[in-house]
């Protein structure tokens, strides 16, 4: 399958039905690339208005001038194609740091073992595994 180079729009959280919004901006460009060493697709997430990349520092979500590559996890639920954004890891562990929306609609990273929760799933530009 040849993925689109990028898709832009809003990323809506599956549990809260709220957009991913950082510093008041909710328009994002999701760019795909094939990672030969891991034999999987990776995605970067860029704010369409500012050009800043969504990334991570420890357990925190950050906006950066450097591009970060997330490991996507795709699934379907209730007829929706959904994506979770995981921090790639060189270590073989049972879980992943995963982008998660909180009750106050802010986002952070949460260590998740197994399938992502609804608060970690996003509707928007997705690519099938």
């Amino acid at each position: 399958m040849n993925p689109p180079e990028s898709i832009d729009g809003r990323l809506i959280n599956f549990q809260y039905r709220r957009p991913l919004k950082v510093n008041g901006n909710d328009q994002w460009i999701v760019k795909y690339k094939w990672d030969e060493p891991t034999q999987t697709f990776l995605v970067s997430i860029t704010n369409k208005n500012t050009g800043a990349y969504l990334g991570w520092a420890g357990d925190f979500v950050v906006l950066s001038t450097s591009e970060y590559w997330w490991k996507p996890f795709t699934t379907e639920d209730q007829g929706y194609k959904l994506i979770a954004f995981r921090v790639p890891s060189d270590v073989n562990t049972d879980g992943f740091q995963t982008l998660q929306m909180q009750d106050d609609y802010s986002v952070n990273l949460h260590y998740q073992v197994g399938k992502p929760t609804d608060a970690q799933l996003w509707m928007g530009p997705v690519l099938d595994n």
Side-chain angles (χ1 to χ4, degrees):
M1 165 194 267
N2 291 324
E5 185 174 308
S6 66
I7 303 172
D8 65 332
R10 299 170 89 199
L11 293 168
I12 307 296
N13 185 266
F14 188 61
Q15 178 172 326
Y16 296 105
R17 300 296 202 261
R18 296 284 197 155
L20 171 61
K21 188 180 277 193
V22 179
N23 296 340
N25 296 306
D26 68 355
Q27 296 293 315
W28 302 92
I29 299 169
V30 176
K31 183 168 72 172
Y32 296 93
K33 79 170 186 177
W34 179 254
D35 185 58
E36 194 63 40
T38 61
Q39 294 290 297
T40 188
F41 285 101
L42 299 176
V43 297
S44 72
I45 307 167
T46 311
N47 186 278
K48 190 173 180 177
N49 298 322
T50 67
Y53 295 98
L54 192 68
W56 58 86
D59 293 339
F60 299 99
V61 175
V62 299
L63 288 177
S64 174
T65 57
S66 298
E67 193 167 28
Y68 286 74
W69 291 96
W70 299 80
K71 183 176 182 178
F73 173 90
T74 58
T75 188
E76 283 195 42
D77 192 351
Q78 300 173 23
Y80 293 102
K81 287 190 175 190
L82 305 169
I83 187 169
F85 300 101
R86 295 173 163 177
V87 175
S89 175
D90 293 335
V91 180
N92 191 7
T93 63
D94 292 334
F96 291 89
Q97 289 286 85
T98 306
L99 184 67
Q100 176 173 296
M101 184 171 273
Q102 302 302 304
D103 292 338
D104 64 359
Y105 311 126
S106 65
V107 290
N108 70 0
L109 293 177
H110 177 78
Y111 186 78
Q112 179 67 30
V113 176
K115 287 189 169 188
T117 67
D118 285 353
Q120 296 168 338
L121 292 171
W122 302 85
M123 299 179 283
V126 298
L127 175 69
D128 294 326
N129 284 335

